[in-house]
């Protein structure tokens, strides 16, 4: 299982989600670096600042109101159609997640055709915060994103035999 290297002032972990939908369908959604709002419900909209979804592209995401942040600037670090891996880093914004890196990898479950999503993340623990609180905050958001992704893809998989969200 993948993990990201942590410094002493950082925390991180892995979050796993089993999705009852084909891997290609799940991948067709999470590979769209320019459209995170499809399944990330805290994101209102996304503007590309650089590139068009290829490695090195930079996006600016606007967060829905009521959260302790408005924008985040994020760079696509890795996108691999063979291993179904996507990684991004937060490189700016008005939020408290400094040096945040996330890597999502999809795996096909051999026996039942389900998709296993593994998301590993690492982030700085800011002065005055604990590792536990920082991880809890991040994982609450990540788990919401995973549930939403599962809901969308499972609904789509059960209503059509087509394996791509975009047709
Ligand atoms: C992701 C993961 C996270 C996003 C966080 C953790 C964020 O978009 C939200 C609130 C914040 O305070 C930070 O994969 C930030 O998007 C919902 C704006 C970055």
């Amino acid at each position: 299982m993948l993990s990201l290297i942590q410094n002493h002032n950082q925390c991180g972990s892995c979050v796993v989600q089993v999705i009852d939908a084909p891997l290609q369908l799940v991948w067709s959604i999470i590979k769209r670096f320019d459209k995170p709002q499809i399944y990330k419900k805290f994101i209102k909209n996304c503007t590309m600042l650089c590139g068009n979804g290829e490695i090195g592209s930079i996006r600016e995401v606007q967060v829905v109101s009521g959260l302790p942040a408005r924008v985040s600037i994020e760079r696509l670090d890795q996108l691999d159609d063979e291993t179904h891996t996507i990684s991004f880093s937060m490189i700016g914004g008005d939020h408290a997640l400094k040096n945040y890196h996330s890597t999502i990898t999809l795996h096909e479950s051999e026996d039942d055709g389900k998709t296993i999503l593994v998301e590993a993340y690492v982030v700085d623990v800011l002065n005055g915060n604990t590792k536990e609180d920082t991880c809890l905050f991040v994982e609450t958001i990540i788990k919401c994103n995973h549930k939403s992704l599962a809901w969308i893809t499972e609904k789509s998989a059960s209503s059509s035999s087509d394996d791509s969200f975009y047709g």
Side-chain angles (χ1 to χ4, degrees), residues 36 39-43 59 61-64 67-74 88 90 92 94-97 100 102 104 119 137-142 145:
Y39 74 97
K40 295 185 179 184
K41 293 301 166 202
F42 298 120
I43 296 183
R59 70 186 175 196
V61 301
Q62 295 211 331
V63 181
V64 296
L67 286 168
R70 283 172 180 278
V71 291
S72 178
I73 315 285
E74 304 176 348
F88 78 94
M90 294 181 188
D94 61 355
H95 53 77
L97 300 180
Y100 182 95
S102 146
I104 293 180
E119 180 157 11
F137 175 71
V138 167
E139 286 180 32
T140 302
I141 296 169
I142 288 181
N145 290 343

Side-chain angles (χ1 to χ4, degrees), residues 122-139:
V122 60
V123 65
D124 287 5
V125 178
L126 299 184
N127 284 340
N129 291 338
T130 63
K131 286 193 177 192
E132 289 70 26
D133 288 347
T134 306
C135 283
L136 183 64
F137 175 71
V138 167
E139 286 180 32

Side-chain angles (χ1 to χ4, degrees), residues 3-67:
S3 68
L4 295 167
I5 294 165
Q6 277 171 46
N7 290 323
H8 70 281
N9 64 330
Q10 293 188 309
C11 68
S13 187
C14 271
V15 183
V16 178
Q17 173 78 45
V18 177
I19 302 178
D20 191 4
L23 183 144
Q24 286 307 332
L25 174 61
V26 180
W27 179 242
S28 73
I29 294 179
I30 63 164
K31 73 185 284 191
R32 289 294 301 270
F33 184 70
D34 59 331
K35 290 255 180 288
Q37 67 272 35
I38 292 174
Y39 74 97
K40 295 185 179 184
K41 293 301 166 202
F42 298 120
I43 296 183
K44 196 162 56 180
N45 59 53
C46 173
T47 312
M48 296 307 287
L49 299 184
C50 171
N52 221 344
E54 68 282 6
I55 293 169
S57 295
I58 298 175
R59 70 186 175 196
E60 180 182 290
V61 301
Q62 295 211 331
V63 181
V64 296
S65 62
L67 286 168

